[in-house]
Amino acid sequence: MITPDALDALDALVRLCPPPADPPPAVDWVQAERTLGVALPTDYKRLVETYGDGLFDDTLWLLVPHSAHNDCDLYAQTRERDEILANLWEFEAKPVGLLETGARVLPWAFEEGTGAFLYWLARPGQQPDEWTVLYNEGRGPLWEAHDTGCSDFLLAVLTGTAETEYFGHLSEVPKPTEHWFETADHAFGTSRH
């Protein structure tokens, strides 16, 4: 069951970082979950329905099903990350949370220009609303676990309250209280038809 905190986090995120004026395209969640072979967290679905694919504070890209942009497409990134991680784990140790049989990661966002990804840690017996966040620096072996869902984590990153070794640069900007979201279409210079 989704926690009230996750719903509060999205409401707080909307107040902090206004979503686009035009609503993003609707997502067929049944088809998305069938394609991925797994249900998705409720807070993520609400996040996608509110913002769509795009970039928070020039830092974090949100992945969505059926994005017109391969970099932001949840399906494409899931396939690519699965392949990359399978190759990586042939010579590098898996993070502790993935040592449990049947545990897996699914990407939901990535950090601009770093190769770093944010994943859900999906463990056997857990419902999607219980999944927590794993950050992987991408160009190195470090993984950072966060006992929170994606909306809570995103809000914490943007407000500078996340207990993380990463994203410190966000609090160094001249006006750290001003946050923005840029749609993928705008960022990539395309428009929806």
Side-chain angles (χ1 to χ4, degrees):
M1 190 90 190
I2 190 157
T3 65
D5 289 345
L7 297 175
D8 292 345
L10 182 59
D11 291 340
L13 185 61
V14 166
R15 288 190 299 275
L16 179 74
C17 183
D22 294 328
V27 174
D28 180 341
W29 291 112
V30 172
Q31 179 187 356
E33 292 172 336
R34 188 177 307 125
T35 300
L36 292 168
V38 65
L40 294 167
T42 306
D43 70 324
Y44 167 74
K45 292 176 188 178
R46 288 194 61 220
L47 188 62
V48 167
E49 290 166 353
T50 303
Y51 289 94
D53 53 355
L55 182 61
F56 289 89
D57 284 4
D58 291 336
T59 301
L60 281 175
W61 288 93
L62 181 62
L63 304 177
V64 303
H66 289 298
S67 173
H69 310 282
N70 199 52
D71 287 349
C72 295
D73 185 64
L74 181 64
Y75 306 135
Q77 290 302 325
T78 297
R79 284 188 303 273
E80 183 177 304
R81 301 314 306 165
D82 283 350
E83 184 179 314
I84 288 169
L85 292 175
N87 291 333
L88 178 71
W89 290 328
E90 289 181 11
F91 61 89
E92 190 175 288
K94 288 182 177 181
V96 173
L98 286 173
L99 297 178
E100 182 179 0
T101 301
R104 68 181 282 205
V105 292
L106 293 120
W108 61 272
F110 67 92
E111 187 178 4
E112 170 66 22
T114 67
F117 269 79
L118 288 164
Y119 296 91
W120 290 292
L121 172 59
R123 298 175 61 206
Q126 281 187 328
Q127 295 300 313
D129 290 338
E130 299 172 301
W131 294 351
T132 56
V133 171
L134 281 177
Y135 175 93
N136 175 247
E137 66 180 345
R139 295 188 178 122
L142 299 180
W143 288 78
E144 192 177 76
H146 297 273
D147 192 23
T148 187
C150 63
S151 293
D152 285 319
F153 184 76
L154 182 56
L155 178 64
V157 165
L158 295 183
T159 58
T161 59
E163 293 182 22
T164 177
E165 296 295 318
Y166 305 94
F167 307 111
H169 66 282
L170 289 176
S171 60
E172 297 168 5
V173 296
K175 295 182 179 180
T177 57
E178 293 181 11
H179 301 276
W180 60 95
F181 178 82
E182 182 178 21
T183 66
D185 285 343
H186 187 264
F188 291 118
T190 59
S191 60
R192 291 192 183 118
H193 299 292

